[in-house]
Amino acid sequence: MLKHVLKTLFILCTVMAITACSSDSNEALEAKTSLKLELKVIPENIQVKEYKNLTISFKELNSGFTITQELKNTNVLQVVLPSGTYNITAEGSIVYGDNSGSVEAKVAGVQNGMVINGSETSKTLELALKSGNSSDLILEEIFFTGTKTPQGAMYFGDQYFKITNNTDKTLYADGMLLIQSSFMTNEKQDYSPNIMATTLSAGAIIRIPGNGTMYPVKAGESIIIAEDAINHKNFNPSSINLSNANFQIFKEDSDDIDNPAVPKMVNVFDKMVIHTQGYYAYALARMPQGMTHETLVAQNTYTYTYNLTINGDVYPMDGTAVKIPNEWITDAVNLSVQDSFQWQVTSPSLDMGWTSVTTFDGDKNRFGKAVRRKVTGKTMEGKNILKDTNNSTTDFEHGVKPSLFN
Amino acid sequence: MKYFLSISILLISFSGVKLHAQINDTIIEKVREEYSFERLIKNSITLNPASYNAARKHSITTFNVFTEKSNTPSQLQQKGRGKNLWGAEVYSLQKLDDKTAVWGNASYTQGKNKQVVWNENSDYDLIYPYVAADSVGGDMKFENYSFSGGYSKKINTYTLGITGSYQATLSYRDIDPRPKNTAAHFSLAMGADKLVFGKFRVGAYANAEKYTQKHYLSFVCNQGYPMIYNMSGLGNYNELLSGKLRQAYYEGWSYGGGLQIFEADSRNWYLNMGIKKFNLDKLLTEYADLNASKINEQQFTFSAGKFFNSGKTVWGISAEGNSTERKGIENLFLNENSRNYIQIGSVEKYNHKINSIIFKGLIQMGNEKTKSSLIPFFGWIQEKEKYSSPASRIELSKLMYGADYQWLKTFNHQQILSVVAGLSATNVYQKNALFNNSVKPAINSMLQENYAFQSSDFWQAKLDVHFHFSFPVVKNAFVGGKIMYSNFKTGSNTLLAVSIGSIF
């Protein structure tokens, strides 16, 4: 009898023990890091008088966690964040100058892939002066995907760039450089030397011909640089007629189409092959007075190196590009594909963001879509005012019907 | 498949050795023992291989071929909307003499899991929540082989026992997205028990298991493909690793053991307590075996029972409890460049606790010709699933009650009929859920649908009929059918199974 009672008690005790365990709520502590972020304006010779306001946005790449912090009258941020790898963007305005006067200017900075871990850490984020609204020609639209024929085949010849005068004065397109970056936005490597803060590394450059006054572009007007300036509707009914384009891209030693009525872009460096998924940055630049493109290539060509890691094996690689100083660049746009984007290939002072037409690599629905700058209003004459804050993420519409398609 | 036939023949020939010594009545006793509710309740003691042999009085060999068809519109999306399968199984326990026993089992199953979505892996219950998932999914075909064997020997007052088993699973799909999963499961258990004071036995056992799963995903059609998510629990996923992941390798180890004490002769009272630890790593083979996540699971189990036998009637009560806690740890990465990911930290974000206890009563009456058994049961289950940030959780408390009734009738000419009817109801008396609002709409609707199923009250009815008859050559053959119906707020699940086989 006693044994029986003892056994029953034993069983009851075990039952209680198990139910008691369940009321514990032992939460695992999340790894958090105390971050001290100092925002510094570069180049260092700029004397900052006041950091008026700064907005800093964080995005953690593993979890997608985002947070925004505001700073007033200081450039040091103290914040506690969950540990991880962060993309940080900062925008704001400062007052700088010297004894002679003060200037208020907008600044912006971008840092991708910043590791924030440990119990506390200090980091620096560089801010560059944002060039104000461009006073030169800008890229209004890039149509790079090509189209699909009614039979479903891919068709490329109808790619084009639309370059617009977003100012109120007549500008001349003569001599304008159209540049394709050397690095790709879906392939992040540690390229050495790392000159991206001050220089755009060009992989292909073409130049608008002319002696300086041959190709005027009135305020609000645009010019089209076409891959092939022909009536593509003859070959692909789903395409457009580009035979009235202002310029055409003609590659001499390839089997390229030539429309004798359309001026050819001058090939300055390498061949411009417009990638149908984007993956490059495109920029417009003006060489300094007196420089020829031959001199540019002769003086500014450089070799970069990087290590390619595949499955743990390291292969040293190299490549050639042309240095284009950021000061020459009037506009730059980073293009990519949402799921494949790794990094911007220009300095954040040229372009803080990036644009795309599609979500994933190989999307067959990308054909016939372009990126187009947003319109913020109209001038007195009824011409469009285009958005240009040097941030392609917010300045462009991602994946819309190209303007030449109706 | 090639080993299945040879091992089945080996097992059947084992029993063939003994066939000539059997009398027809023994077959009836074996069949009754096979279906005995009393034996089934007390079966938890056999976790210890040393205690396996004495659970049955008779050697037995069973062979059956079965087919099963089920529709489960109320189920987790990751587990699919039903199964169609067929299979064959052979089992044998041979008491070579009064000190030694061997036993073995071989089975083969083939079929398909219908409409599995948000899970491109196999063995979801083992590897959750770290599965590769997408919104397309589809039917998953599978093939399973399993073999196991055991041996026990009595030495004076001690009994020693050992069992080992191997299971291989292949699951795949023939249309995009095309997963191919190969899983293998090895386990080994050893135990001993000792007769104490001539009255009861004290036993201890230890077991170890190794589990691996290779996962490949491919797409043939280049019209585009859905985003493949690297899931980490309750709809959350790692953004850096999601997108184009095509391969993963899961490797896990589990260790466990237990203690037991039970009445030596008929196991009329028993207490069994066990503990098991399971660790599983998910490695990304496309990125030089990067460790993406880790599971640590701990499980406590206990079972206890007390039975009384007055000759004509057997009655008693048993309790079974289980407390499981699964912790999930994710690693954080930096994409140094497109092909090289570096681990920069790790954080424990996932936690799943399940506590359950079920009390079963047993009333068994009757004689050799007709036996009736009733098992009324009552249980309580509490489940808490949490993801720390962004905060997500599911909390459920359930009460379950019902009864199973068996009627076992022996006719003339060795014909035996077993009819089992069961009815149960589950009431979710407390439920609570919180999901991360910023997940993609497709993931959110998956979470809502899964939660609607998990938090739904339901009732279940089942009927299981087996009819045994004598048959030339195999001595005893049977046909069986089972039908099960479960009614949820989210839809009704049905299961139909048919089997034919033999016991000898």
Side-chain angles (χ1 to χ4, degrees):
Chain A
M1 181 63 194
L2 186 66
K3 213 160 69 170
H4 178 77
V5 171
L6 280 172
K7 266 176 257 146
T8 322
L9 276 174
F10 195 166
I11 293 173
L12 277 171
C13 284
T14 330
V15 170
M16 303 283 259
I18 291 205
T19 47
C21 283
S22 64
S23 51
D24 280 345
S25 59
N26 32 357
E27 302 273 344
L29 288 168
E30 197 192 344
K32 285 205 195 293
T33 305
S34 176
L35 169 71
K36 178 171 159 212
L37 185 68
E38 187 196 342
L39 295 105
K40 240 167 62 157
V41 175
I42 52 153
E44 303 199 351
N45 55 9
I46 295 179
Q47 295 167 17
V48 181
K49 289 202 174 150
E50 190 188 339
Y51 289 95
K52 288 194 73 177
N53 55 52
L54 291 163
T55 305
I56 305 132
S57 308
F58 296 86
K59 179 175 168 160
E60 206 280 306
L61 297 182
N62 288 275
S63 59
F65 165 77
T66 56
I67 188 172
T68 306
Q69 298 277 291
E70 306 267 346
L71 285 183
K72 280 208 171 5
N73 296 324
T74 175
N75 68 328
V76 177
L77 171 69
Q78 196 74 42
V79 67
V80 175
L81 297 170
S83 304
T85 305
Y86 284 84
N87 282 354
I88 309 175
T89 52
E91 279 186 274
S93 52
I94 60 161
V95 175
Y96 74 96
D98 48 30
N99 295 331
S100 55
S102 304
V103 177
E104 184 172 330
K106 288 210 177 357
V107 288
V110 165
Q111 173 81 43
N112 289 334
M114 186 183 276
V115 173
I116 295 178
N117 62 1
S119 56
E120 50 184 51
T121 183
S122 292
K123 300 275 180 191
T124 312
L125 180 65
E126 289 176 347
L127 299 171
L129 293 176
K130 267 177 98 154
S131 26
N133 276 345
S134 184
S135 55
D136 208 325
L137 298 171
I138 58 172
L139 286 158
E140 177 183 337
E141 179 181 346
I142 307 177
F143 173 57
F144 55 87
T145 61
T147 44
K148 259 203 293 202
T149 66
Q151 294 82 22
M154 298 199 334
Y155 187 85
F156 307 128
D158 45 10
Q159 296 160 311
Y160 66 84
F161 296 88
K162 186 178 193 183
I163 296 167
T164 303
N165 181 351
N166 201 30
T167 71
D168 52 3
K169 298 180 185 35
T170 302
L171 297 168
Y172 291 91
D174 301 48
M176 196 88 188
L177 298 178
L178 175 59
I179 299 157
Q180 178 171 289
S181 64
S182 183
F183 308 137
M184 294 175 79
T185 53
N186 65 335
E187 174 104 7
K188 181 178 175 187
Q189 301 288 356
D190 200 5
Y191 297 104
S192 175
N194 185 354
I195 49 175
M196 205 182 281
T198 54
T199 314
L200 173 63
S201 299
I205 307 173
I206 52 178
R207 195 180 122 245
I208 296 179
N211 58 15
T213 50
M214 280 174 68
Y215 302 107
V217 184
K218 292 212 192 78
E221 300 283 312
S222 311
I223 55 171
I224 301 285
I225 302 175
E227 168 61 36
D228 292 323
I230 56 166
N231 185 355
H232 294 280
K233 284 201 206 283
N234 294 337
F235 302 96
N236 176 7
S238 315
S239 186
I240 46 170
N241 182 358
L242 285 175
S243 53
N244 291 326
N246 303 86
F247 301 97
Q248 61 177 335
I249 301 175
F250 183 74
K251 306 185 226 337
E252 282 117 3
D253 41 1
S254 311
D255 194 12
D256 206 355
I257 300 173
D258 178 20
N259 180 346
V262 176
K264 298 192 216 345
M265 296 288 283
V266 177
N267 291 325
V268 173
F269 177 71
D270 216 335
K271 274 194 209 150
M272 181 167 297
V273 178
I274 306 171
H275 199 299
T276 66
Q277 308 222 50
Y279 288 148
Y280 287 105
Y282 290 94
L284 292 173
R286 288 223 190 255
M287 291 185 289
Q289 276 287 18
M291 179 176 271
T292 64
H293 68 253
E294 291 89 353
T295 324
L296 166 69
V297 172
Q299 285 181 350
N300 286 20
T301 305
Y302 81 107
T303 307
Y304 57 83
T305 57
Y306 63 102
N307 287 327
L308 184 63
T309 313
I310 301 177
N311 286 339
D313 293 325
V314 177
Y315 303 94
M317 308 279 280
D318 56 56
T320 319
V322 173
K323 293 189 231 188
I324 307 286
N326 286 352
E327 300 82 59
W328 301 3
I329 294 179
T330 71
D331 190 25
V333 179
N334 279 275
L335 300 175
S336 193
V337 170
Q338 248 177 52
D339 284 351
S340 313
F341 172 77
Q342 295 265 321
W343 65 330
Q344 281 117 313
V345 293
T346 66
S347 156
S349 61
L350 296 178
D351 185 7
M352 288 250 298
W354 54 281
T355 176
S356 59
V357 306
T358 181
T359 340
F360 61 89
D361 185 282
D363 182 5
K364 288 291 196 269
N365 289 327
R366 71 181 186 276
F367 296 109
K369 289 187 187 161
V371 297
R372 292 173 64 176
R373 232 177 240 284
K374 291 177 185 168
V375 176
T376 54
K378 288 226 188 278
T379 64
M380 298 283 278
E381 293 81 33
K383 297 287 179 197
N384 286 338
I385 302 175
L386 300 174
K387 186 165 183 199
D388 181 15
T389 63
N390 285 354
N391 185 340
S392 307
T393 312
T394 51
D395 290 348
F396 277 83
E397 309 229 52
H398 319 293
V400 291
K401 193 165 172 184
S403 60
L404 298 186
F405 284 65
N406 41 9
Chain B
M1 191 65 189
K2 56 181 177 176
Y3 295 120
F4 176 69
L5 278 174
S6 36
I7 292 191
S8 328
I9 293 170
L10 191 72
L11 287 169
I12 294 176
S13 56
F14 251 143
S15 46
V17 166
K18 289 283 169 192
L19 220 72
H20 69 274
Q22 284 164 355
I23 339 166
N24 287 342
D25 280 344
T26 327
I27 291 186
I28 299 174
E29 279 167 46
K30 286 187 199 193
V31 171
R32 285 213 212 96
E33 186 170 56
E34 175 68 6
Y35 292 111
S36 158
F37 268 9
E38 187 187 347
R39 181 187 68 83
L40 290 168
I41 284 192
K42 294 176 181 174
N43 212 27
S44 55
I45 301 175
T46 60
L47 278 172
N48 183 346
S51 318
Y52 189 88
N53 180 17
R56 286 183 194 258
K57 292 199 179 63
H58 304 281
S59 299
I60 185 170
T61 302
T62 74
F63 170 76
N64 71 67
V65 174
F66 54 89
T67 177
E68 185 184 298
K69 190 176 154 82
S70 65
N71 282 328
T72 57
S74 291
Q75 179 51 280
L76 291 178
Q77 294 205 13
Q78 286 83 353
K79 292 204 194 170
R81 292 266 179 271
K83 268 195 204 148
N84 288 352
L85 60 90
W86 71 267
E89 188 173 6
V90 134
Y91 167 74
S92 183
L93 165 70
Q94 295 302 315
K95 295 173 188 269
L96 303 177
D97 53 51
D98 60 0
K99 285 191 175 37
T100 330
V102 290
W103 61 93
N105 171 293
S107 77
Y108 172 76
T109 328
Q110 183 191 68
K112 74 174 177 203
N113 227 342
K114 297 184 274 202
Q115 265 311 101
V116 178
V117 198
W118 296 106
N119 173 19
E120 298 290 352
N121 290 95
S122 67
D123 298 326
Y124 181 73
D125 286 328
L126 275 177
I127 66 171
Y128 82 91
Y130 300 114
V131 294
D134 63 81
S135 55
V136 179
D139 293 351
M140 277 273 245
K141 294 188 186 161
F142 63 86
E143 274 185 56
N144 283 340
Y145 309 80
S146 81
F147 309 102
S148 69
Y151 174 81
S152 76
K153 187 155 182 84
K154 233 186 197 161
I155 301 170
N156 298 328
T157 51
Y158 288 91
T159 311
L160 304 170
I162 182 168
T163 61
S165 79
Y166 169 71
Q167 191 178 305
T169 309
L170 172 67
S171 73
Y172 59 95
R173 186 183 298 126
D174 289 331
I175 56 167
D176 281 4
R178 284 165 209 250
K180 185 168 156 197
N181 303 310
T182 326
H185 203 148
F186 291 89
S187 78
L188 189 69
M190 291 200 295
D193 68 36
K194 179 173 164 55
L195 183 67
V196 175
F197 302 136
K199 287 226 179 89
F200 57 89
R201 302 194 86 93
V202 173
Y205 60 91
N207 54 42
E209 291 172 37
K210 175 147 195 259
Y211 175 80
T212 57
Q213 182 181 143
K214 284 190 205 149
H215 163 74
Y216 293 100
L217 195 59
S218 63
F219 292 88
V220 168
C221 176
N222 58 3
Q223 283 295 315
Y225 32 81
M227 165 100 143
I228 308 294
Y229 296 93
N230 189 55
M231 288 300 203
S232 44
L234 287 174
N236 298 290
Y237 55 92
N238 185 316
E239 283 196 16
L240 261 190
L241 298 178
S242 299
K244 299 205 298 186
L245 275 195
R246 294 286 173 263
Q247 290 178 34
Y249 180 66
Y250 296 83
E251 188 176 60
W253 284 95
S254 110
Y255 310 95
L259 293 171
Q260 51 186 206
I261 177 169
F262 56 93
E263 191 249 311
D265 293 326
S266 343
R267 304 184 172 185
N268 279 334
W269 58 264
Y270 61 88
L271 176 66
N272 193 43
M273 313 225 288
I275 183 172
K276 183 161 143 178
K277 274 182 182 287
F278 174 56
N279 297 320
L280 181 80
D281 284 309
K282 176 175 179 178
L283 305 169
L284 299 176
T285 39
E286 289 164 293
Y287 294 99
D289 284 350
L290 198 67
N291 189 321
S293 53
K294 198 179 170 70
I295 290 170
N296 285 338
E297 184 179 273
Q298 193 158 276
Q299 208 182 102
F300 295 103
T301 54
F302 92 92
S303 64
K306 174 86 181 107
F307 298 92
F308 305 91
N309 191 332
S310 77
K312 281 199 73 171
T313 316
V314 172
W315 75 97
I317 185 166
S318 81
E320 275 171 38
N322 184 307
S323 175
T324 307
E325 184 176 8
R326 171 173 285 218
K327 293 184 187 165
I329 296 152
E330 297 166 29
N331 291 330
L332 304 170
F333 300 98
L334 161 68
N335 55 334
E336 192 190 50
N337 57 55
S338 1
R339 288 195 190 88
N340 195 15
Y341 282 53
I342 299 177
Q343 183 179 335
I344 52 121
S346 79
V347 58
E348 184 187 305
K349 281 195 175 186
Y350 182 78
N351 190 297
H352 192 199
K353 284 196 192 122
I354 311 176
N355 294 321
S356 69
I357 184 157
I358 178 165
F359 295 96
K360 291 184 192 173
L362 172 70
I363 304 168
Q364 197 167 277
M365 316 205 265
N367 55 26
E368 307 262 300
K369 289 278 176 189
T370 315
K371 192 159 84 166
S372 288
S373 315
L374 180 73
I375 295 189
F377 53 86
F378 172 77
W380 174 80
I381 302 168
Q382 188 188 59
E383 197 175 323
K384 282 190 189 158
E385 193 177 0
K386 280 194 202 133
Y387 190 83
S388 63
S389 76
S392 322
R393 67 168 185 274
I394 295 179
E395 285 173 12
L396 301 163
S397 299
K398 304 182 191 182
L399 278 179
M400 179 177 94
Y401 46 89
D404 285 341
Y405 172 75
Q406 180 191 60
W407 188 66
L408 194 59
K409 173 98 181 143
T410 309
F411 298 100
N412 296 330
H413 314 297
Q414 287 112 52
Q415 288 168 346
I416 304 168
L417 177 69
S418 155
V419 177
V420 173
L423 199 61
S424 78
T426 301
N427 171 241
V428 183
Y429 65 89
Q430 212 175 67
K431 56 186 179 223
N432 193 311
L434 175 72
F435 298 120
N436 172 11
N437 282 332
S438 57
V439 293
K440 307 224 160 139
I443 296 181
N444 202 340
S445 78
M446 175 269 288
L447 290 172
Q448 298 292 350
E449 280 178 42
N450 280 355
Y451 178 64
F453 151 69
Q454 288 172 299
S455 59
S456 163
D457 293 342
F458 68 94
W459 59 264
Q460 189 180 80
K462 70 173 184 217
L463 185 66
D464 194 333
V465 179
H466 278 74
F467 182 65
H468 287 252
F469 49 91
S470 73
F471 199 77
V473 180
V474 293
K475 302 262 179 211
N476 183 293
F478 71 86
V479 289
K482 176 171 167 176
I483 182 163
M484 213 155 85
Y485 177 81
S486 314
N487 183 288
F488 291 79
K489 286 202 189 94
T490 47
S492 304
N493 295 348
T494 52
L495 182 143
L496 188 63
V498 171
S499 62
I500 57 171
S502 154
I503 292 185
F504 48 90

